[in-house]
Amino acid sequence: MEWTEWCEQLLTLAQDGTVLSFWEKLNKDFYQAFVQEARWKMYVEGMGNTLKVAVLALVLGFLLGLVVAAVRTFHDQRREEKTGVFLNILNILCKIYTTVIRGTPMMVQLLIMAFVIFKSSRNLVGIAALSFGINSGAYVAEIIRGGLMSVDTGQMEAGRSLGLNYLQTMWYIIIPQAIKNILPALGNELITLLKETSIVTAIGLRDLTKAAQLVTGKTYGGFMALFGVALIYLAMVMVLTWLVNRLERRLRNSER
Amino acid sequence: MNGKQNEVLIQVRGLEKHFKGGEIKALNGVTAEIKRGEVVVVIGPSGSGKSTFLRCLNLLEHPTGGSITFDGVDLTNPKVNIDVHRQKMGMVFQHFNLFPHMTILDNMTLAPMKVLKKNREESERKAMQLLDRVGLAGRAAAYPGQLSGGQKQRIAIVRALCMEPEVMLFDEPTSALDPEMVGEVLEVMRDLAGEGMTMVVVTHEMGFAREVGSRVIFMDGGVIVEENSPAELFGNPSSDRLKSFLAKVL
Ligand SMILES: Nc1ncnc2c1ncn2[C@@H]1O[C@H](COP(=O)(O)OP(=O)(O)OP(=O)(O)O)[C@@H](O)[C@H]1O
Ligand SMILES: [Mg+2]
């Protein structure tokens, strides 16, 4: 007898009130959560949305963070009397952005985006990616700024004393050294994003977590679906962690 | 090294540098001149403003008052493009400040290629010549992390020389070195002085000051207290502050 048929039988038995053995129940639950009515497709779709939101958010967050970090660093490294009004205003805007974003809950930001700013839009993936991207940008900015500041000030002085200008020194000397700290931190940011995106269920986006909720609703409970997605998240995070660690080791070894 | 010996290269007038909005007065009106071919040694107790003075010369610190004229150009004029003049002023730091992510050769050719727009071949030829002179030609492909402190500092000196500067500024070049490595660095500096390079050297090496210096400046409290030939300054100090300083260090 095929496994699916057996599970269908178990399902009927259970509905009739037969008490199943632990093993039988396990098989039945697994069947219900993942196989019946091709439910696995819901997880695949959910995982696709989760990954889309996380990756798009990281790209957007990186671009935003880069601009903010550039403004903040450039401003701080200029002599006071030379900064100029324009740069000062930009710097203040960047400071407000990081303060507000880092000082309010992600959930609140997401709800404001979905139900206030874009309340008529149905592009939930877009809204989620935008919210998370804007949120991530504030953290990425600090990662990049911290990475640049972690390079010894003597490096900038040595570059400038050789006649290289500010941008040349940044490009050839500071940034290559800062990247060693920045890239692994960005990898960790992606891991954080991947997990945090599970709150997009609040705006009705069918991500991986939502898939579990929907299945749980259809099958009247059961732990299988939730445990299943937990396992999928864990697997994704472990793969990413492995990649980040490899990258970190690579970068460390390049400094002999 | 060039035919214009004894011409004033750097003229410093009434130099002031205050930190934290005037709270810390590192320099309080320093006037000095540095002639071509001279080796000026700056000595003084910790915190007397020696480094600040040196770092003002190439505007790593921006003076809060006074003026610095280099090769006839007032560097404190805001319109001056300081990068152009820094090319001609080599600087050697206490902690070497080599670029750890680049090979020794790349450390040396970066500025000639990016600033002077020389091609790689020419820059590398010049770098290899200089490496050969300090006995480190074999380490061209090494990374700074693979070198000893003394080797690093010798590289730092020749890295600056790759730009063919008109003056070399040294800020305690041997203070971070193990004692057995001090000699090899001082020897390179001595050779450089022998070739007629204009040098301003902040150091605690009184032997070097006495032997190589054409003039010694004693600083304390952000001013020049005494200035003389090494023989006079060490043999016949006039101020009490210099006397007590020498009593401590000699
Ligand atoms: N960036 C800075 N910010 C604030 N104060 C500073 C800064 N740089 C130097 N100072 C202060 O200026 C004074 C002179 O410092 P400087 O480094 O020039 O002394 P120095 O003679 O080189 O001493 P040392 O022999 O210890 O190197 C000190 O009181 C120092 O604390
Ligand atoms: Mg000093």
Side-chain angles (χ1 to χ4, degrees):
Chain A
M1 185 165 44
E2 268 205 41
W3 179 75
T4 43
E5 283 173 42
W6 179 53
C7 289
E8 284 287 354
Q9 279 181 4
L10 291 176
L11 215 58
T12 342
L13 285 175
Q15 269 158 10
D16 295 345
T18 315
V19 179
L20 300 177
S21 75
F22 176 73
W23 177 243
E24 285 169 340
K25 187 167 164 12
L26 206 65
N27 275 276
K28 185 213 75 174
D29 283 353
F30 184 87
Y31 174 75
Q32 260 191 314
F34 300 106
V35 184
Q36 196 184 23
E37 292 168 19
R39 292 208 175 105
W40 56 271
K41 283 185 184 160
M42 294 173 72
Y43 301 93
V44 172
E45 185 204 358
M47 191 166 123
N49 281 335
T50 292
L51 284 173
K52 258 188 237 163
V53 171
V55 171
L56 284 175
L58 187 77
V59 172
L60 179 62
F62 178 72
L63 295 176
L64 263 174
L66 203 61
V67 172
V68 173
V71 170
R72 301 270 283 115
T73 307
F74 191 52
H75 177 271
D76 289 355
Q77 290 185 343
R78 284 259 120 160
R79 290 188 299 128
E80 275 158 41
E81 59 276 30
K82 269 186 119 180
T83 41
V85 184
F86 182 63
L87 191 58
N88 281 339
I89 292 173
L90 271 182
N91 185 53
I92 289 170
L93 286 177
C94 289
K95 265 189 180 163
I96 292 174
Y97 162 69
T98 39
T99 310
V100 170
I101 292 297
R102 305 206 308 166
T104 54
M106 180 64 231
M107 180 67 126
V108 175
Q109 292 167 22
L110 180 67
L111 294 177
I112 289 175
M113 274 294 207
F115 299 127
V116 181
I117 299 174
F118 294 107
K119 71 167 173 270
S120 51
S121 167
R122 291 305 302 153
N123 182 0
L124 293 181
V125 170
I127 292 171
L130 191 63
S131 312
F132 275 94
I134 290 172
N135 180 270
S136 184
Y139 292 92
V140 171
E142 292 302 302
I143 289 173
I144 295 177
R145 219 162 75 87
L148 293 174
M149 286 193 318
S150 73
V151 178
D152 180 34
T153 53
Q155 295 288 307
M156 176 59 86
E157 293 183 348
R160 299 305 302 275
S161 79
L162 286 166
L164 296 162
N165 63 33
Y166 177 81
L167 287 177
Q168 286 175 321
T169 310
M170 269 288 167
W171 185 252
Y172 295 111
I173 297 166
I174 308 298
I175 292 174
Q177 295 182 63
I179 278 184
K180 293 183 176 144
N181 297 329
I182 292 172
L183 277 186
L186 282 180
N188 289 326
E189 175 67 16
L190 178 61
I191 291 172
T192 308
L193 265 172
L194 194 72
K195 290 181 293 177
E196 294 228 305
T197 53
S198 69
I199 66 168
V200 298
T201 52
I203 62 167
L205 175 58
R206 291 173 150 228
D207 75 325
L208 191 52
T209 306
K210 189 77 183 174
Q213 286 182 342
L214 290 172
V215 171
T216 310
K218 277 193 185 162
T219 58
Y220 309 106
F223 59 91
M224 254 319 161
L226 283 170
F227 272 29
V229 299
L231 218 68
I232 297 173
Y233 276 114
L234 185 62
M236 291 195 292
V237 167
M238 280 169 70
V239 169
L240 282 174
T241 307
W242 179 75
L243 285 173
V244 170
N245 285 343
R246 250 182 71 127
L247 180 72
E248 220 168 358
R249 220 166 325 131
R250 263 277 230 2
L251 291 171
R252 195 153 1 102
N253 288 347
S254 72
E255 188 155 317
R256 271 145 284 200
Chain B
M1 198 163 251
N2 55 58
K4 297 181 273 183
Q5 300 287 6
N6 291 325
E7 170 196 293
V8 175
L9 182 60
I10 305 177
Q11 177 73 58
V12 180
R13 285 197 191 86
L15 189 64
E16 282 178 12
K17 175 65 186 179
H18 297 172
F19 290 104
K20 299 185 180 161
E23 206 180 300
I24 298 169
K25 295 180 166 52
L27 296 177
N28 300 302
V30 171
T31 297
E33 58 178 37
I34 289 136
K35 298 196 191 77
R36 283 187 192 275
E38 256 191 327
V39 177
V40 176
V41 179
V42 183
I43 61 171
S46 182
S48 57
K50 306 182 296 294
S51 295
T52 307
F53 170 68
L54 198 72
R55 292 159 57 81
C56 278
L57 295 182
N58 67 351
L59 257 60
L60 279 186
E61 300 288 359
H62 289 264
T64 39
S67 72
I68 298 158
T69 312
F70 172 64
D71 229 354
V73 180
D74 180 6
L75 299 184
T76 51
N77 181 343
K79 290 199 186 77
V80 163
N81 178 6
I82 187 62
D83 295 327
V84 174
H85 301 283
R86 282 199 183 121
Q87 298 164 21
K88 298 181 248 165
M89 312 170 102
M91 188 162 211
V92 176
F93 302 86
Q94 185 175 351
H95 294 105
F96 330 125
N97 296 350
L98 296 179
F99 309 133
H101 60 300
M102 292 180 185
T103 63
I104 300 308
L105 196 61
D106 289 340
N107 261 273
M108 295 175 70
T109 54
L110 178 69
M113 284 167 62
K114 301 302 170 194
V115 179
L116 303 178
K117 311 287 181 201
K118 286 191 188 177
N119 64 34
R120 177 175 294 279
E121 207 188 8
E122 194 186 350
S123 311
E124 290 189 348
R125 192 172 339 110
K126 171 95 187 159
M128 288 309 296
Q129 271 173 14
L130 284 162
L131 278 177
D132 202 35
R133 252 181 53 184
V134 294
L136 289 170
R139 308 313 307 270
Y143 282 81
Q146 299 169 312
L147 304 182
S148 73
Q151 290 175 327
K152 280 185 203 165
Q153 196 61 300
R154 283 186 279 158
I155 299 292
I157 294 172
V158 288
R159 178 177 72 178
L161 290 177
C162 279
M163 295 295 286
E164 304 186 348
E166 295 185 23
V167 57
M168 286 284 285
L169 312 174
F170 294 84
D171 192 1
E172 302 200 25
T174 57
S175 295
L177 298 178
D178 290 338
E180 72 268 22
M181 293 173 183
V182 170
E184 62 192 66
V185 171
L186 290 182
E187 195 182 305
V188 172
M189 291 169 64
R190 202 177 290 123
D191 287 350
L192 204 53
E195 288 164 24
M197 174 60 80
T198 313
M199 293 161 64
V200 185
V201 185
V202 174
T203 187
H204 293 296
E205 296 291 329
M206 296 303 150
F208 178 85
R210 209 190 285 257
E211 190 192 331
V212 183
S214 22
R215 196 147 48 88
V216 180
I217 288 175
F218 171 66
M219 288 184 70
D220 196 8
V223 294
I224 295 181
V225 178
E226 224 173 306
E227 184 180 349
N228 222 327
S229 69
E232 270 299 302
L233 189 118
F234 289 114
N236 199 5
S238 58
S239 68
D240 288 341
R241 279 198 274 181
L242 177 55
K243 279 178 198 160
S244 74
F245 175 73
L246 290 178
K248 267 182 236 148
V249 297
L250 287 181

